Amino acid sequence: MNETTRNEIVRLHYAGTSQRAIARLLGIHRKSVYRVLRNHQDRRAGAAEEERALRPSLLDPYADQIAQLLERYPNLTAVRLHEELVRLGFEGRYTIVRERLRGLRPPTPKTPVRRFETAPGLQGQMDFSPYEIPFTAEGRRRVHAFSYILSYSRRQYVRFV
């Protein structure tokens, strides 16, 4: 549910519309309307937001083994880690291992793209390629596109034949 819908629920509630009518108007479940209104009232009253208790993960008993394997093999894939954990008695699926591994590893930094700079009039890039396009009157036809991009200004010329 997006912020616009939540705002509309609160606006309709203050206009005197019942929760069932709000649910009917917006096409959502009436319990969703109740939950949004309850959260709104709690925030207005200054009540602290409830923190949900985290469920124990199937991977929690294997945290030490995962840390040891990652220390020994820093480029270990999720597939290989799952195979090792299954060998140790893990009964979960691959996706939970992949998500845990994504959380443990630092994100890989993206290499910056070196900008291609030239002086005016020195260089351009050309492309000539065929395309199949369905026309309304003539049906499916093959056309060729000629494209030329000036490297300095990034200005593009395109011609279809």
Side-chain angles (χ1 to χ4, degrees):
M1 179 178 307
N2 59 20
E3 193 66 28
T4 307
T5 307
R6 284 191 286 272
N7 289 338
E8 187 66 16
I9 290 170
V10 172
R11 187 188 69 76
L12 289 170
H13 176 70
Y14 282 125
T17 313
S18 70
Q19 291 183 17
R20 284 179 184 259
I22 293 171
R24 223 176 300 118
L25 282 170
L26 299 178
I28 56 178
H29 198 273
R30 68 177 191 273
K31 288 184 180 180
S32 298
V33 173
Y34 170 76
R35 189 172 48 248
V36 168
L37 292 174
R38 188 187 66 213
N39 288 340
H40 176 71
Q41 292 299 331
D42 289 347
R43 280 191 309 225
R44 283 186 57 120
E49 290 191 24
E50 301 172 2
E51 289 191 28
R52 292 184 178 181
L54 294 177
R55 292 186 342 190
S57 171
L58 289 174
L59 287 171
D60 287 345
Y62 301 97
D64 294 334
Q65 289 89 349
I66 292 172
Q68 289 173 1
L69 286 169
L70 286 177
E71 187 177 311
R72 202 170 340 144
Y73 307 106
N75 294 329
L76 186 67
T77 64
V79 174
R80 184 68 182 117
L81 179 60
H82 181 257
E83 289 171 357
E84 286 295 320
L85 293 175
V86 167
R87 194 175 54 79
L88 296 171
F90 176 66
E91 295 180 358
R93 300 288 181 197
Y94 162 75
T95 53
I96 191 172
V97 175
R98 184 184 66 206
E99 290 168 5
R100 172 70 64 97
L101 193 58
R102 186 177 295 144
L104 292 175
R105 282 197 180 133
T108 56
K110 293 184 179 180
T111 56
V113 176
R114 184 169 221 155
R115 231 180 121 85
F116 182 73
E117 299 286 343
T118 63
L122 286 184
Q123 194 169 15
Q125 296 180 2
M126 187 270 306
D127 182 37
F128 188 76
S129 51
Y131 296 96
E132 292 275 335
I133 299 178
F135 290 97
T136 4
E138 303 165 1
R140 196 162 190 81
R141 302 256 333 247
R142 177 176 289 224
V143 296
H144 296 277
F146 172 77
S147 168
Y148 192 79
I149 300 174
L150 299 175
S151 298
Y152 176 74
S153 64
R154 308 293 196 268
R155 187 165 186 136
Q156 183 176 19
Y157 171 80
V158 179
R159 178 78 180 220
F160 291 96
V161 278

